[in-house]
Amino acid sequence: MRDDAETVPGGAPGGDAAWRMITLVVMGLLGAVVLVALILTLGEANRQRDRALQAQAHSYDVMILARTVSGTIARSEASLGRYVISGKGQQALGQIYFDQWRLAGTQLGRLERLTRATGEQSARVAQLRNAYMRRGEELSLTALSTTYGKNSQALARYYASRSSPTLTAIDRTLDEIISGERALLDARTADAMRTVDRSSRIAGVLAIFGVLIVLGALVLGWFTLQAVGERALARAEADAERERAEELSAAVTQATDELRVQEAKLRQVQKMEAVGQLTGGIAHDFNNMLAVVLGGLELAKRSVAVDPAAVTRHLDNATDGANRAAALTRRLLAFSREESLKPEAIAAAQLVSGMSELLDRTLGDAITVVTRDDARGWQVRADRVQLENAVLNLAVNARDAMNGRGRLVIATGTATLAEHQVDQCSAGEYVTLAVADDGAGMTPDVVERVYEPFFTTKEAGKGTGLGLSQIFALVRQLLGAITIDTAPGRGTTVTLYLPRDTAADGTGRTAVVDIAPPEPAAAGLRVLVVEDDPRVLTATLGALEELGHHGIGCDAPERAAGLLAAHDDIDLIISDVLMPGQTGPEMIASLGPQYPHIAVLFVTGFAGEANASEFGAHQLLRKPFTLVGLERAIGRAMAEDRPAPPQQIAAE
């Protein structure tokens, strides 16, 4: 028993050493575990911090890019405004608008890539893209209206577009993107903070077990202090980035306000320049024409007694000068789009043949023009001036492609197309108008851009890049299409597909058009002439008397009702269009229900403020007019269908 008792005390030191060893091993293992746990915890905290910083940087990139898109769109629209105001003369402004709008699209693409991983933001950017595309279509219509010279229409569209829903949608969506990104930034920052806080708590728990390991505690404390410092630094950087974004937003707002002020000043300067140039040009041309008129009249007066034959010649020269002045006025009204477009049924082959003299004079003797008519008399419905300008533009482009020497073929034909067989054309019958040259041809990359406004392959000063874009807009307006067949070395053929006008006879076949002038009205008509200009009123009454009619003068539209009541035998009303107080169409609209049996003829030299649709079915005679023109217009007006006079109904 004693031996056993001795062995126990003797074995105690060895057992303690073993337990100490085990304890040391366990503590070493625990220290290693704590150390590894601390390292892992701090590593995760660092990764969360890095992700938070990356998320912050990403969010600031999105917000700054959104502000940049807004600023680029604002600059593009401001350039468009200056282009609309300046008209076709400042094509560089149109180019600036186009470049800035395309740059906004590029920036929008970068915004789509940045928000691709965020579903909600990606949806907002998609909405922004849709609003951007719709806004682009609105602004392109305004730009094209200016490009085609429709200044008043372009201004109306531009000012209407300032309150367009698409502009509101773009601003609202940009604000939503920025607000959403700020919310994402706050959420991500909060999540990172929670993760770091959780890591800190775990580290605190582990620090209790690491008290026995001083080195571990010191290292843990050092890492903890470092993590706290980095978080403070990240927070300071985030605050600095936020302040910088706010400063950038304020700078963009201030720049926009300054741009609007400068735009208003530039608009006034351009107005004065345009008025000066237009006034000088018109004065020069009219002085030339008035010199012809006055010179012819003076020579005629001197020749009355000595050479009657010379009187006729001098009067003819004066008449020609007056007609040229009238033609200049019509061209000015058409250029400013104050004169309404007049769609009509046009036989394409007859239009081309009627332009032969103009084409020969424009293209020169070195160009051989060949025309072919395979259109079988089919007609299109369009404005004659616009269609003639399209043919002339294509012919001039062909001449330039042939360097002024070659063979030009203008062919008209027919085509029956299936749905979308050519571009976006609907199924049906089409008149084709093709202009072919044997010039150098075009490469595929040039063909892809020929319809872009301001794009041209000609030398500086020899082309505006607007010809084909105008033709493209005209064809689309008529619901047709345009194709280009070309290759380097084999020339170019441009073909217009224009819908056939079958409304003439309602059967799909071309109606026979009676082009004979109307029969003059029978003499002895009683005509009420409403004209506010006393000289024009006197001249019109004299012309009616010369034609054998009895005229009754009315110098104000307000007096017309009283004169009609006093004269119940009036057959025709000849009215000016624009008069003080009331326009001619407004006067007729108020008198029409009481006097539906009286024929109406409108006379005007300016139709800009009266829409052509307001004339209804009544005839329109342009000033200045001749006796023959007045006689034919009266004949057409009297030939219109209308109710019988009350006297005739009572007699029956």
Side-chain angles (χ1 to χ4, degrees):
M1 289 291 296
R2 187 174 57 186
D3 292 340
D4 294 339
E6 289 177 355
T7 58
V8 173
D16 290 340
W19 281 109
R20 281 196 301 269
M21 183 62 67
I22 293 173
T23 301
L24 289 175
V25 172
V26 170
M27 290 188 64
L29 292 175
L30 288 175
V33 170
V34 170
L35 182 60
V36 171
L38 285 173
I39 292 173
L40 293 177
T41 301
L42 293 175
E44 179 62 21
N46 287 333
R47 286 191 293 273
Q48 290 294 333
R49 180 205 63 209
D50 293 338
R51 283 195 289 270
L53 290 175
Q54 291 175 359
Q56 289 173 348
H58 178 273
S59 296
Y60 289 131
D61 288 341
V62 171
M63 289 187 286
I64 291 173
L65 186 55
R67 291 296 185 188
T68 303
V69 170
S70 177
T72 304
I73 290 176
R75 288 193 299 273
S76 176
E77 294 200 16
S79 299
L80 176 60
R82 295 194 297 272
Y83 178 48
V84 169
I85 294 167
S86 65
K88 292 174 65 177
Q90 295 290 336
Q91 297 159 3
L93 296 177
Q95 186 64 47
I96 293 173
Y97 146 70
F98 180 77
D99 292 340
Q100 288 295 315
W101 192 257
R102 187 168 56 183
L103 175 59
T106 302
Q107 294 169 347
L108 187 55
R110 290 175 53 200
L111 190 61
E112 289 172 339
R113 291 192 294 274
L114 284 177
T115 58
R116 186 174 299 161
T118 308
E120 186 175 1
Q121 287 291 76
S122 179
R124 292 192 182 105
V125 174
Q127 294 175 2
L128 179 60
R129 170 69 73 177
N130 293 334
Y132 168 83
M133 297 300 293
R134 294 195 302 272
R135 184 65 174 171
E137 293 172 357
E138 293 176 357
L139 297 181
S140 65
L141 289 176
T142 303
L144 286 175
S145 296
T146 302
T147 299
Y148 311 142
K150 300 181 179 178
N151 294 345
S152 59
Q153 181 180 355
L155 280 172
R157 283 179 172 168
Y158 176 74
Y159 287 121
S161 69
R162 301 306 300 168
S163 58
S164 172
T166 58
L167 182 58
T168 304
I170 289 175
D171 294 337
R172 184 182 66 252
T173 307
L174 284 170
D175 292 339
E176 290 175 355
I177 290 172
I178 295 172
S179 300
E181 199 62 32
R182 285 175 178 166
L184 285 174
L185 175 60
D186 293 338
R188 290 166 178 167
T189 303
D191 184 65
M193 292 297 296
R194 285 194 298 270
T195 302
V196 173
D197 291 338
R198 184 170 61 253
S199 300
S200 298
R201 288 193 299 270
I202 295 173
V205 174
L206 293 174
I208 297 175
F209 295 98
V211 171
L212 300 176
I213 307 173
V214 177
L215 182 60
L218 293 176
V219 171
L220 178 61
W222 183 80
F223 277 117
T224 301
L225 291 176
Q226 186 183 38
V228 172
E230 290 177 351
R231 288 199 301 271
L233 178 61
R235 186 177 295 108
E237 291 177 352
D239 293 339
E241 291 291 341
R242 185 178 296 107
E243 291 176 0
R244 189 162 55 191
E246 292 174 354
E247 291 175 359
L248 178 60
S249 176
V252 170
T253 302
Q254 181 180 0
T256 302
D257 294 339
E258 293 177 355
L259 182 61
R260 288 173 180 169
V261 173
Q262 295 300 324
E263 179 184 348
K265 294 180 180 178
L266 178 61
R267 183 184 301 117
Q268 184 63 27
V269 172
Q270 290 173 339
K271 281 182 181 178
M272 298 307 298
E273 290 179 354
V275 168
Q277 293 175 356
L278 183 61
T279 303
I282 293 176
H284 177 270
D285 289 345
F286 266 101
N287 282 337
N288 290 339
M289 297 168 188
L290 289 175
V292 174
V293 174
L294 295 176
L297 293 175
E298 184 176 1
L299 291 172
K301 288 170 61 177
R302 293 186 177 186
S303 303
V304 168
V306 296
D307 190 358
V311 173
T312 303
R313 184 173 67 256
H314 295 317
L315 290 177
D316 289 341
N317 290 337
T319 302
D320 181 67
N323 289 334
R324 288 177 180 272
L328 174 61
T329 303
R330 286 193 295 271
R331 286 198 299 271
L332 288 171
L333 292 176
F335 175 77
S336 64
R337 289 297 181 263
E338 295 293 354
E339 184 172 348
S340 303
L341 298 179
K342 295 173 285 188
E344 58 181 299
I346 302 172
Q350 294 179 5
L351 180 135
V352 172
S353 63
M355 295 177 63
S356 59
E357 182 180 351
L358 175 62
L359 290 171
D360 291 339
R361 186 169 61 250
T362 303
L363 302 180
D365 297 335
I367 299 295
T368 301
V369 180
V370 178
T371 59
R372 296 174 184 168
D373 177 18
D374 296 320
R376 297 181 292 174
W378 285 17
Q379 296 179 337
V380 298
R381 187 163 191 82
D383 181 83
R384 181 176 295 273
V385 174
Q386 280 192 326
L387 195 54
E388 286 179 348
N389 285 339
V391 175
L392 186 60
N393 265 327
L394 291 176
V396 170
N397 285 346
R399 178 201 63 190
D400 295 341
M402 295 185 291
N403 293 324
R405 182 178 299 276
R407 184 171 183 266
L408 177 67
V409 179
I410 305 178
T412 56
T414 63
T416 301
L417 303 180
E419 187 78 12
H420 297 170
Q421 179 179 347
V422 175
D423 200 7
Q424 300 297 318
C425 287
S426 303
E429 296 178 333
Y430 289 79
V431 176
T432 63
L433 199 160
V435 178
D437 64 68
D438 55 4
M442 293 182 286
T443 58
D445 58 327
V446 173
V447 174
E448 290 180 358
R449 301 188 59 193
V450 291
Y451 302 132
E452 296 180 10
F454 308 109
F455 175 76
T456 178
T457 58
K458 300 176 183 179
E459 300 176 7
K462 292 189 177 181
T464 63
L466 298 176
L468 276 176
S469 65
Q470 289 178 329
I471 297 172
F472 179 80
L474 169 64
V475 171
R476 282 298 179 89
Q477 181 184 12
L478 298 178
L479 304 180
I482 179 172
T483 62
I484 298 179
D485 180 17
T486 184
R490 68 175 179 86
T492 301
T493 300
V494 181
T495 304
L496 309 184
Y497 291 83
L498 305 176
R500 180 187 178 188
D501 180 23
T502 59
D505 56 7
T507 63
R509 298 181 178 275
T510 304
V512 177
V513 181
D514 182 10
I515 60 174
E519 293 293 332
L525 298 177
R526 293 182 67 82
V527 183
L528 177 64
V529 181
V530 185
E531 171 62 63
D532 61 305
D533 191 320
R535 293 168 298 180
V536 178
L537 178 61
T538 301
T540 305
L541 292 174
L544 289 173
E545 183 178 355
E546 183 69 22
L547 294 175
H549 305 301
H550 177 65
I552 301 173
C554 177
D555 58 3
E558 295 80 4
R559 297 183 54 231
L563 291 173
L564 287 172
H567 301 82
D568 58 358
D569 56 348
I570 290 178
D571 303 297
L572 172 67
I573 298 176
I574 297 179
S575 173
D576 190 16
V577 173
L578 297 180
M579 294 178 289
Q582 193 177 35
T583 67
E586 290 172 348
M587 179 193 70
I588 294 301
S590 64
L591 297 175
Q594 304 176 24
Y595 304 97
H597 61 283
I598 299 179
V600 176
L601 172 62
F602 289 114
V603 181
T604 184
F606 181 80
E609 296 178 9
N611 194 301
S613 62
E614 296 180 3
F615 300 140
H618 301 306
Q619 295 295 319
L620 178 66
L621 178 62
R622 299 282 180 178
K623 296 177 183 177
F625 53 81
T626 62
L627 280 176
V628 174
L630 177 61
E631 184 178 23
R632 290 180 178 176
I634 292 174
R636 288 193 297 269
M638 295 304 297
E640 293 178 351
D641 293 333
R642 58 187 185 280
Q647 301 91 334
Q648 181 178 345
I649 296 176
E652 293 176 354

